[in-house]
Amino acid sequence: MQNQLKQILFDEATLQQRVRGLAAEVESAYQGQPLTAIILSNGALFFAADLLRRINLPLHLDMIGVSSYSGTESRGQVDFRYPPKLPLHKHHVLIVDDILDTGRTLEGVIAFCRDAGALSVRCCVLLDKPSRRIAPIQADFIGFSIDDLFVVGYGLDLNEKFRNLPCIGIPDLG
Ligand code: IMP
Ligand code: MG
């Protein structure tokens, strides 16, 4: 399946090394405090599984379903397919997402967590595409910043395909 990529941007070893670094950054930022990690499904599943296993803090885990993309274009609206089940009131919330693009998804999710009474809301994203930003959102922890490229693999999809690639690259759309 990797031969359906026209370019590999981050191979498996590079991703795993950076995820270890991110886990250390998150761990030191919370200084032993418990946190509630909210994984944005489906894109952040692989990243979150690797990241959170390396964070040595008391941690509650929840997942939410949001979607703002269809194919390669942002639709500019956030649909909550399922909200968090855990109470966020007075919890330190860490939102874990695959990629920060226009920022609309995280803008909506951050607002949701704040409205639910979270003590603090931070965001950890594997990838950041700052040149695409529409909503004024910055992540607190960023794996890699990339140019305006549509990428797949390690959770990121094109119409639900390529998520299971161990690396991240640019799909060959023919
Ligand atoms: P935003 O709301 O525009 O920031 O979009 C965030 C969501 O769009 C991410 O969680 C991804 O699911 C999806 N997305 C953005 N860029 C890409 C990409 O290059 N490849 C695959 N999915 C992407
Ligand atoms: Mg997606």
Side-chain angles (χ1 to χ4, degrees), residues 10-124:
F10 305 108
D11 64 19
E12 185 173 3
T14 306
L15 287 175
Q16 293 304 325
Q17 188 185 11
R18 184 64 192 114
V19 171
R20 278 196 294 276
L22 271 179
E25 287 176 33
V26 171
E27 201 176 297
S28 72
Y30 283 91
Q31 299 187 320
Q33 298 177 108
L35 68 143
T36 298
I38 297 196
I39 303 171
L40 269 61
S41 175
N42 296 329
L45 284 179
F46 293 74
F47 168 48
D50 288 340
L51 177 82
L52 300 178
R53 275 183 292 180
R54 296 185 180 279
I55 294 176
N56 184 19
L57 291 171
L59 190 146
H60 289 91
L61 183 64
D62 206 344
M63 194 175 313
I64 58 177
V66 286
S67 58
S68 67
Y69 248 74
S70 176
T72 60
E73 284 306 313
S74 175
R75 293 201 314 272
Q77 91 187 57
V78 177
D79 300 326
F80 277 77
R81 285 181 281 117
Y82 45 99
K85 291 174 289 301
L86 289 177
L88 305 182
H89 186 65
K90 295 199 173 156
H91 285 72
H92 293 290
V93 172
L94 178 69
I95 300 167
V96 182
D97 201 4
D98 51 1
I99 186 165
L100 176 51
D101 185 38
T102 65
R104 284 171 170 143
T105 305
L106 281 185
E107 184 179 45
V109 176
I110 290 168
F112 180 94
C113 296
R114 293 218 170 108
D115 290 349
L119 267 183
S120 68
V121 183
R122 287 174 167 136
C123 299
C124 179

